[in-house]
Amino acid sequence: MQTEIGMAPGARIVARLARRARLSTLKYLAILRVSILNNLAYIIEVFFRALLLVVLVFVLTQLWKTTFTLRRTHVLSGFSIADMIWYLVAAEAIALSLPALTRRIDQEVRSGQLAYLLGRPASYVLYNYAHYLGERLVRLLMNALIGALLALIMAGVPHFTWQGLLVWPLVALIALSIDFVMHFSIGLLAFWSEETQSFSLIFSRLTLVLGGVLAPLEIFPQPLRSIAQALPFSAILYGPSRTLVHFEAARLGTLLIQQGLTLLVGTMIMLTIYYAAVRRVNINGG
């Protein structure tokens, strides 16, 4: 406060807002750190969960090898078999890193615990985002390490560009954020629905099929390819995975626009559901 003496009123307001923003950022970074440490404490469990990626990638790789052999080609829609393997690893690493966010939010709503959590000196949404991000980053890193080892054995050293490696963390983080707002919104539907796991199952299956986890969207026939590329599911799995394997500057710009719009619209929907749920809690007295 002493540093604000002699400041103009406008400057004091800006300084206070900046201090509050810094303290708030440090608070959620601390939550993120605790979440990461909690998941590292159970790293063996995370490791065994990640072994599912080995099974899925191995099975899909055998299917695609058979497809390449039957078509008597070494390149399919711009992807060689090595590119396809690395793409599958990248997509599966993201897809299989999703924690049970919807189920946890659902349980907090049904048990009434949400009413108590709202009283914390922290945003319920941002608290859950930091907690979710810490858990998912640990799982994603473990999936990536195991998947990369498998891909090195099956396909050899990848031909990634430095641009793809540089921007992949950014597009992957935006993809994880989009996944968060979608599943968080589904969890909050427990205020109005007796069961939200059916909604979560539908969304996750649509993401897997239309998001490009089984194959790059270039493989899809028209008009399914264009429809899938326009849907938000492709911004979660296909976009980041293709950016890593086949980086193209023009596609990156399109992907960032798609991810930005998807995240913006998804956040607006999530906040609308959230504030409606909070009003419902206040009206019912918790």
Side-chain angles (χ1 to χ4, degrees):
M1 295 295 293
Q2 295 179 349
T3 58
E4 296 181 6
I5 298 177
M7 284 186 173
R12 284 201 298 269
I13 294 175
V14 172
R16 290 174 183 174
L17 291 176
R19 185 169 62 251
R20 289 180 181 178
R22 182 176 63 85
L23 292 175
S24 180
T25 301
L26 291 175
K27 175 169 57 178
Y28 294 113
L29 286 176
I31 296 172
L32 173 63
R33 178 175 175 271
V34 171
S35 179
I36 291 175
L37 292 176
N38 286 341
N39 283 275
L40 288 176
Y42 300 96
I43 194 65
I44 301 300
E45 179 186 353
V46 176
F47 171 78
F48 281 107
R49 284 177 178 271
L51 293 181
L52 177 61
L53 181 145
V54 175
V55 177
L56 292 176
V57 171
F58 179 79
V59 171
L60 291 173
T61 297
Q62 300 309 309
L63 291 175
W64 282 112
K65 282 184 176 180
T66 302
T67 302
F68 275 76
T69 301
L70 292 176
R71 294 204 173 191
R72 298 179 180 179
T73 181
H74 297 288
V75 178
L76 188 61
S77 298
F79 285 80
S80 65
I81 187 62
D83 293 335
M84 188 69 72
I85 293 173
W86 279 102
Y87 172 89
L88 292 173
V89 167
E92 292 286 0
I94 297 175
L96 296 179
S97 65
L98 178 67
L101 174 65
T102 301
R103 184 177 304 162
R104 179 161 56 84
I105 302 299
D106 189 321
Q107 291 175 350
E108 289 176 354
V109 172
R110 294 182 182 282
S111 65
Q113 188 180 3
L114 176 64
Y116 298 99
L117 296 176
L118 291 174
R120 288 179 174 177
S123 166
Y124 181 71
V125 175
L126 293 179
Y127 169 83
N128 275 283
Y129 177 67
H131 185 276
Y132 154 89
L133 196 60
E135 185 175 2
R136 188 151 196 187
L137 288 177
V138 173
R139 293 188 177 193
L140 177 59
L141 180 60
M142 180 62 72
N143 288 345
L145 290 175
I146 293 178
L149 180 61
L150 176 65
L152 283 173
I153 296 173
M154 300 183 67
V157 179
H159 300 290
F160 297 159
T161 64
W162 65 268
Q163 297 98 325
L165 291 171
L166 186 64
V167 301
W168 185 81
L170 172 62
V171 295
L173 177 60
I174 300 175
L176 300 186
S177 301
I178 295 172
D179 228 7
F180 168 79
V181 299
M182 298 300 183
H183 284 90
F184 189 85
S185 300
I186 293 173
L188 289 175
L189 292 179
F191 275 99
W192 298 274
S193 174
E194 294 184 0
E195 177 61 47
T196 63
Q197 292 307 306
S198 57
F199 299 117
S200 179
L201 180 64
I202 292 172
F203 181 83
S204 62
R205 294 300 178 268
L206 287 174
T207 303
L208 292 178
V209 176
L210 299 178
V213 73
L214 303 177
L217 298 186
E218 286 89 346
I219 305 295
F220 287 21
Q222 292 289 12
L224 181 59
R225 182 196 311 171
S226 299
I227 295 174
Q229 288 176 338
L231 291 174
F233 308 110
S234 64
I236 300 174
L237 296 175
Y238 166 74
S241 303
R242 195 188 191 286
T243 298
L244 180 64
V245 177
H246 278 176
F247 175 82
E248 295 179 22
R251 283 182 177 268
L252 175 63
T254 303
L255 173 62
L256 289 175
I257 292 173
Q258 181 188 20
Q259 285 188 322
L261 291 175
T262 303
L263 183 59
L264 177 62
V265 174
T267 302
M268 293 173 63
I269 295 173
M270 178 193 68
L271 292 178
T272 300
I273 298 174
Y274 172 70
Y275 287 122
V278 170
R279 285 196 298 270
R280 192 180 181 95
V281 171
N282 293 334
I283 292 174
N284 294 330

